[in-house]
Amino acid sequence: MKLVALASALLCGTILLFGTAEFPDFGDPDSPAASHVSPRYIEEAMAETSAPNIVTAVLADYRGFDTLFETAVVFSAAMACFFLLRIFGEDERRPSEKLYRHLPTGITLRIDPGGKVPDSPEFERIDGIWIPHDVIVKTTTRLIIPFIQLFGLYVIAHGHHSPGGGFQGGVILGASVILYAISQNLRQALGRMGEAVSAVFCAAGVFIYAGAGALCLLMGANFLDYSGLAPLFGVDAIQARSLGILVVEIGVGLAVMSAMVWIYYNLASMGRHQEGL
Amino acid sequence: MSPHLPALPVVVPLLSALLITILGWSNRRLPFPIALVALTAGLLSALGLMKDVLARGVIGYNMGGWDPPWGIAYRVDHLNALVLVVVMAAALIGLIATRDRVKAEFEDRIVPFYTLFVLFVTGLSGILLTGDAFNLYVLLEIASLTGYALIGLGEGRAPLAGLNYILMGTIGASFYLLGVGYLYLMTGTLNMVDLAARLPGLYDSHVVALAFFICLTGLFVKMAFFPVHVWLPNAYSNASSAAGILIAPLTTKVMIYVMIRITLTVFTPDYAFDVLDIGDAVVWLSVIAIVMGSVFALAQNRLKRILSYIVVAEVGYMVGGFWLGNRAGITGSILHIVNDAAMTLCVFLAAGALLTRVPGDRLIHLQGLFRKMPVSMAALVVGGLSIIGAPPTCGFFSKWYLISGGIDAGHYGFVAALLFSSLVNVALFFRVFEIAYYEPFGADHGHDPRAHGASGREDAPAAMLAPLVVVAVLLVALGLYSGDLVSAIIQHAIPARII
């Protein structure tokens, strides 16, 4: 069986390699891909969409409909993870005792059911006996995270001019929350950005994108034809396209950030939202 | 009608799916009504599109206001308008019928279930409407991802079946994407009409032939064409009954539509049937698919597994009928997309109805069910007769076109396979009916006699029976009106050069 698989894989690879012989040369300016559709993007994108970054213009405007559904794919993936992995309720494999850490000393307290729960900011609820507690790591990440998030916002907003945009910026923002969850613990991260927030923000991000498109419909333009939004923005049709791109990039950023965090919560804790990595 | 109608069957379900999450998260009663409104609106706009297409012919719609090939354009003709109506109707009926099952099987997952299902329908209707080869892939991803999740959450071996489905489905989709990449490399465009205009000059290119074969292979995997069908029987028979009812009638049919679309619109019949001349080979493959699907179905002892293997055989019908390359064969293939969606929905729905009252779907569990669940069993009989191909159910008429297509093409192997598969289906269904009709209801087969009395009549809940009866009646109605369906719609969906 393995030999059959190997043989068919080799056969497939050979056929694919054989096909490459007729490919246009790499970087050939006369190849169909470089001479049919692309020239208009390169020559007209700035004039038609007022977005200096051609990639952004193609991604969010000329082929914005694809990107809408790419964002929906991210949302579906996060939703699928939640659907398949999430386990609600208490974990029956764990005792129902509660664990608290005394922050100044790092000592872990175990409170049996019915015991008195410490009521002081010096105590922090934790999920497992062994949750690493490292002051250096915690402090460093606390210092770094705001700058990561600032950079994420910059990447989203600057997608018009430089490499970047909603997907990249969203991942950076999502990474900052995941870094927080790793360096502190999952419970604290969930306290900052809960499950409902991640889920609803994720859907809302895609909704901003699709809703912007539907708003164009209501304004009488085609779906996702941002020039229809010109009266709302109070600018001309070309400028409206540029602003429309920004709106959908924000939606993408929101959806991608929340999806990353939400997927992390479910994967890292195997759906229980306790302890985590 | 509104010029924006082509966008609605995709936009309305997409927005609704998101609203299900946003609003439903805090109010668990909302997801079902939102999904219901979304799919009703989807069905209405699909019917509106059908009416427009019948009145005016092909309708184009430019997303973002950009002309193709620079932007993404939707293109609605008789073929995809017809399949869209079928998909929307099947999804809506399934949604209504499975309401109680979903509540029972996914009590704490109502929100994700309906979000994923409405997104699944969004993906399918996008696949149907789009006139852009890459956009089709993106929507295929949506429909597949959500489908994997819905299949994967179920009792017993469902997660494993879901995993196999993911692995094979991803390979299939990647093949399709690779094929589209090759086409872009050679033509510089992704728009289907533009591709069709630029490809004739490249008919002798090996890369284009390779692109065609890769696309076709990928689609074969996605539609579960024997021998790359292995994901389907496990996925459909192990999934929860709600997910099975919702997904089984739709996925394979839409993939067959994609095969027809890619072959007829992008590569044109000249290329597929004359230049490459692979029709005969593919029909022989489908002969194998039909025979093997039927034989495997015979070997099963669970109702849902039997039905799943019948789906595999039916995929062979449609692929073979299309690749006969003549008008009767392609008509039969397209008509069978419609009929098979209705038949699959009917039998899976009937199986789902039976499962509300019996502990499992092994044949032994079906004993005495005619007396206990007469309506559900009657619907299963109608569905079974249609799959067998008995008049006046719709299955007879598409099989008639397929067989006459086979005779026109002189392909008697295909005709023989169709007849063989009909005979096998007779044997299969009459075995089921016999067990359910003649064999006494046994208290020792996992039934609890106290729960329903020794011969008590206890059919499935009315909320499930009503849609089931509608589908069963629809099977007969589709049969009676299939002549009109063919002359009014399907004839226009086939290029004039095919005779």
Side-chain angles (χ1 to χ4, degrees):
Chain A
M1 203 60 202
K2 275 186 183 166
L3 280 178
V4 177
L6 183 67
S8 52
L10 284 177
L11 185 72
C12 244
T14 316
I15 293 173
L16 290 178
L17 276 180
F18 163 74
T20 58
E22 278 186 33
F23 278 8
D25 287 337
F26 185 74
D28 178 7
D30 298 323
S31 71
S35 59
H36 180 45
V37 176
S38 316
R40 167 157 172 192
Y41 296 145
I42 296 168
E43 287 157 17
E44 305 290 334
M46 183 63 194
E48 287 181 339
T49 66
S50 184
N53 184 352
I54 301 167
V55 175
T56 303
V58 174
L59 198 80
D61 198 348
Y62 289 103
R63 296 189 66 89
F65 192 67
D66 272 344
T67 310
L68 167 60
F69 280 98
E70 290 294 357
T71 320
V73 166
V74 174
F75 170 69
S76 310
M79 190 52 105
C81 274
F82 169 72
F83 182 63
L84 292 173
L85 292 176
R86 185 78 169 98
I87 300 165
F88 296 97
E90 288 290 310
D91 187 347
E92 65 280 359
R93 291 171 311 172
R94 289 166 190 276
S96 55
E97 71 208 15
K98 288 182 174 165
L99 298 168
Y100 285 83
R101 172 185 292 136
H102 184 232
L103 288 175
T105 59
I107 291 172
T108 303
L109 291 183
R110 197 188 72 198
I111 315 271
D112 286 332
K116 184 173 172 292
V117 174
D119 180 26
S120 152
E122 286 192 348
F123 288 93
E124 172 193 54
R125 170 115 192 251
I126 53 177
D127 289 317
I129 290 281
W130 193 81
I131 300 263
H133 176 62
D134 191 320
V135 178
I136 295 175
V137 171
K138 285 189 175 181
T139 317
T140 320
T141 49
R142 256 176 211 278
L143 286 173
I144 288 177
I145 284 172
F147 293 101
I148 296 178
Q149 291 179 334
L150 204 60
F151 183 64
L153 292 175
Y154 164 80
V155 170
I156 293 179
H158 215 251
H160 275 59
H161 296 272
S162 60
F167 285 100
Q168 295 84 340
V171 169
I172 294 172
L173 285 178
S176 73
V177 180
I178 293 174
L179 181 63
Y180 184 77
I182 294 174
S183 63
Q184 311 291 321
N185 61 53
L186 193 67
R187 184 174 287 277
Q188 255 180 304
L190 276 164
R192 288 290 171 104
M193 185 170 172
E195 184 178 31
V197 172
S198 348
V200 172
F201 272 29
C202 193
V206 190
F207 195 85
I208 290 175
Y209 200 148
L215 200 59
C216 304
L217 271 184
L218 293 181
M219 300 295 289
N222 277 10
F223 187 66
L224 283 176
D225 184 349
Y226 313 126
S227 59
L229 300 176
L232 293 181
F233 289 130
V235 292
D236 62 34
I238 304 296
Q239 201 59 38
R241 284 195 174 275
S242 179
L243 288 173
I245 293 176
L246 181 64
V247 171
V248 302
E249 293 278 17
I250 291 170
V252 171
L254 193 63
V256 170
M257 173 191 79
S258 321
M260 291 298 131
V261 174
W262 195 16
I263 290 176
Y264 171 82
Y265 286 161
N266 281 317
L267 279 182
S269 65
M270 291 190 283
R272 294 200 175 273
H273 288 197
Q274 284 177 354
E275 199 162 355
L277 278 176
Chain B
M1 291 297 278
S2 157
H4 299 300
L5 200 55
L8 295 186
V10 177
V11 173
V12 173
L14 174 65
L15 287 172
S16 313
L18 301 166
L19 279 180
I20 288 174
T21 301
I22 296 171
L23 301 177
W25 200 271
S26 51
N27 185 347
R28 298 297 156 95
R29 281 199 304 260
L30 284 176
F32 179 78
I34 297 178
L36 188 66
V37 170
L39 295 190
T40 311
L43 178 61
L44 290 179
S45 46
L47 288 170
L49 271 179
M50 185 84 241
K51 197 168 142 250
D52 277 11
V53 168
L54 287 177
R56 295 195 280 134
V58 177
I59 303 172
Y61 186 81
N62 298 341
M63 290 294 167
W66 298 109
D67 293 330
W70 292 279
I72 293 164
Y74 270 15
R75 190 169 167 281
V76 194
D77 59 11
H78 292 83
L79 179 58
N80 50 12
L82 175 68
V83 184
L84 182 68
V85 171
V86 171
V87 164
M88 282 295 178
L92 182 62
I93 294 174
L95 178 82
I96 296 170
T98 54
R99 184 185 182 179
D100 293 339
R101 297 301 297 169
V102 174
K103 241 186 218 164
E105 290 175 35
F106 301 100
E107 44 166 343
D108 49 2
R109 285 157 217 266
I110 297 277
V111 174
F113 185 90
Y114 282 119
T115 305
L116 289 170
F117 176 59
V118 177
L119 271 176
F120 172 72
V121 178
T122 311
L124 292 182
S125 65
I127 291 174
L128 293 173
L129 289 173
T130 192
D132 188 281
F134 180 75
N135 189 235
L136 195 152
Y137 169 75
V138 177
L139 289 149
L140 183 62
E141 258 192 339
I142 298 257
S144 312
L145 258 180
T146 49
Y148 304 146
L150 292 174
I151 294 271
L153 193 69
E155 300 285 309
R157 296 172 74 85
L160 182 63
L163 185 67
N164 282 332
Y165 184 20
I166 290 183
L167 295 176
M168 293 213 51
T170 309
I171 291 172
S174 308
F175 268 58
Y176 174 80
L177 181 63
L178 193 61
V180 172
Y182 276 29
L183 284 181
Y184 182 72
L185 202 66
M186 295 311 285
T187 61
T189 183
L190 292 167
N191 183 272
M192 290 184 187
V193 177
D194 199 32
L195 275 170
R198 293 173 67 86
L199 276 177
L202 298 164
Y203 275 173
D204 51 354
S205 154
H206 293 301
V207 181
V208 171
L210 202 53
F212 183 70
F213 284 123
I214 299 171
C215 275
L216 200 63
T217 312
L219 293 172
F220 279 165
V221 177
K222 294 296 281 183
M223 72 174 70
F225 186 59
F226 187 88
V228 280
H229 68 287
V230 287
W231 59 268
L232 183 140
N234 287 327
Y236 285 3
S237 61
N238 291 332
S240 64
S241 70
I245 291 166
L246 294 170
I247 292 176
L250 302 177
T251 312
T252 52
K253 263 55 81 182
V254 171
M255 288 305 125
I256 286 168
Y257 158 81
V258 176
M259 177 190 76
I260 297 178
R261 171 65 69 202
I262 293 289
T263 314
L264 290 187
T265 306
V266 176
F267 284 92
T268 67
D270 294 313
Y271 184 68
F273 297 132
D274 298 336
V275 179
L276 287 181
D277 197 21
I278 54 166
D280 215 37
V282 181
V283 178
W284 277 113
L285 279 179
S286 67
V287 168
I288 301 174
I290 295 170
V291 172
M292 294 310 282
S294 305
V295 170
F296 277 125
L298 264 182
Q300 306 305 318
N301 62 357
R302 281 177 53 199
L303 182 58
K304 280 210 274 184
R305 282 193 80 81
I306 294 177
L307 299 179
S308 304
Y309 275 106
I310 288 176
V311 172
V312 173
E314 303 274 339
V315 168
Y317 286 22
M318 290 177 270
V319 174
F322 174 73
W323 282 96
L324 287 172
N326 57 29
R327 192 158 270 269
I330 297 178
T331 306
S333 179
I334 296 173
L335 185 62
H336 206 69
I337 292 181
V338 180
N339 294 346
D340 193 41
M343 291 173 342
T344 314
L345 179 63
C346 182
V347 289
F348 271 86
L349 204 49
L354 297 181
L355 276 175
T356 56
R357 296 289 183 242
V358 292
D361 66 341
R362 289 184 180 283
L363 292 182
I364 207 165
H365 288 130
L366 303 179
Q367 288 174 334
L369 275 189
F370 263 106
R371 219 156 302 148
K372 184 179 175 187
M373 311 180 73
V375 183
S376 308
M377 282 308 294
L380 186 65
V381 170
V382 177
L385 288 177
S386 185
I387 288 177
I388 291 166
T393 52
C394 58
F396 168 75
F397 295 94
S398 42
K399 205 168 271 184
W400 179 261
Y401 278 106
L402 289 171
I403 289 178
S404 48
I407 294 172
D408 284 355
H411 204 298
Y412 294 99
F414 184 62
V415 177
L418 285 176
L419 295 176
F420 171 74
S421 150
S422 304
L423 282 177
V424 170
N425 289 344
V426 170
L428 278 173
F429 278 103
F430 278 85
R431 185 167 56 143
V432 172
F433 300 154
E434 191 194 335
I435 292 173
Y437 193 83
Y438 289 110
E439 294 198 13
F441 197 76
D444 52 333
H445 294 306
H447 296 289
D448 180 3
R450 280 164 305 173
H452 46 64
S455 64
R457 214 186 118 170
E458 193 194 17
D459 220 318
M464 201 165 189
L465 279 187
L468 180 57
V469 172
V470 169
V471 179
V473 172
L474 210 58
L475 285 184
V476 180
L478 275 174
L480 295 178
Y481 288 98
S482 62
D484 296 332
L485 198 63
V486 169
S487 59
I489 300 172
I490 296 178
Q491 282 312 314
H492 303 288
I494 304 172
R497 75 163 286 276
I498 294 176
I499 39 167

